Amino acid sequence: RNTVQGSLSEVLAEAFPVTRRVVGGPFFIGLATQFSTVAPPRVPHLSAYGADFAAFIARQDVGHRLPYLTDVARLEWARAEAYFAADAQPLDAKRLAAQPPADIDKMILRPHPATRLIVSAFPIYRIWEVNQPEVADIPRIKMNWGQSALVSRTGYRLVTRVVEPADAAFVSASFVGKPLADAADLAFQIDAAFDLQRALQDHFINGTFRDDIG
């Protein structure tokens, strides 16, 4: 039993390196051991193990003392999911430009299978960014502001980037089937200066959407 729990803790440590760094190695191992006790693997694929870890953290004392930790774990799991997600041809600018102009506003931009959007009341991207292995001196971060992180994949390369609130609203609306014009309107309501053309260019470069426009 100890061997199995130790192996599962190692799997979680690989999937949640930033979470581990934030709380410290020994504490993380204890947390991971508790999780493996109450939530053993349900499928015979260790790459799928950890889907409920963020929710588990939210229920623990550490989740109340460090309320941002749950969303950091959500971001890390989004990256794990994106890495193993199915592949698909990403949507590019030429494909969109080839559509009849009268139809573009009605088009629905569908998410690439690897794309994940994490919206948080905390600066989760900044926390993730400064807790990478190559960063030795972690700066002090003010926690009273939110960020949205978008995870995507181009080929075998994971892309994790911060997106502004208006862009996050545009992506969220697109993901639930809103036509391009309606998704853009929601973005403009948040920020009248939202640059839709630039946002789309960034999404094309980073593979946010798949080549399956409706």
Side-chain angles (χ1 to χ4, degrees):
R1 178 178 179 181
N2 289 340
T3 300
V4 171
Q5 287 184 327
S7 298
L8 293 177
S9 295
E10 291 178 6
V11 170
L12 292 172
E14 288 289 328
F16 300 93
V18 171
T19 304
R20 183 182 187 276
R21 186 171 182 178
V22 169
V23 300
F27 188 91
F28 182 88
I29 293 302
L31 198 63
T33 299
Q34 293 178 49
F35 177 74
S36 65
T37 301
V38 300
R42 295 192 296 265
V43 295
H45 303 289
L46 290 181
S47 62
Y49 189 63
D52 300 324
F53 191 53
F56 173 79
I57 290 175
R59 298 192 296 269
Q60 307 308 305
D61 181 61
V62 66
H64 297 287
R65 289 187 287 109
L66 304 175
Y68 59 85
L69 193 64
T70 296
D71 286 350
V72 172
R74 289 174 60 218
L75 173 56
E76 293 201 275
W77 187 249
R79 285 173 48 82
E81 284 188 321
Y83 183 81
F84 290 104
D87 202 7
Q89 180 68 29
L91 179 65
D92 61 30
K94 292 180 180 179
R95 175 82 162 87
L96 190 65
Q99 306 304 309
D103 294 342
I104 290 180
D105 284 352
K106 302 175 184 178
M107 290 179 179
I108 298 172
L109 304 184
R110 308 187 191 283
H112 188 282
T115 302
R116 303 289 187 276
L117 176 67
I118 306 296
V119 179
S120 176
F122 302 98
I124 55 168
Y125 178 82
R126 182 58 176 161
I127 296 169
W128 176 83
E129 181 182 44
V130 302
N131 278 284
Q132 296 306 301
E134 67 274 12
V135 180
D137 298 320
I138 301 176
R140 184 177 295 275
I141 302 173
K142 293 183 179 180
M143 297 294 173
N144 59 345
W145 56 292
Q147 281 186 316
S148 296
L150 189 66
V151 179
S152 56
R153 194 186 72 213
T154 57
Y156 294 103
R157 183 176 67 93
L158 280 181
V159 179
T160 305
R161 60 193 181 96
V162 65
V163 291
E164 295 303 316
D167 199 4
F170 172 76
V171 171
S172 295
S174 298
F175 284 7
V176 297
K178 295 285 187 182
L180 192 152
D182 292 348
D185 283 344
L186 289 173
F188 289 130
Q189 290 175 25
I190 293 174
D191 182 1
F194 174 62
D195 190 336
L196 177 61
Q197 184 173 355
R198 180 174 179 177
L200 285 173
Q201 182 178 11
D202 288 341
H203 292 310
F204 294 145
I205 291 172
N206 293 294
T208 302
F209 303 105
R210 71 176 187 260
D211 190 2
D212 180 22
I213 49 182

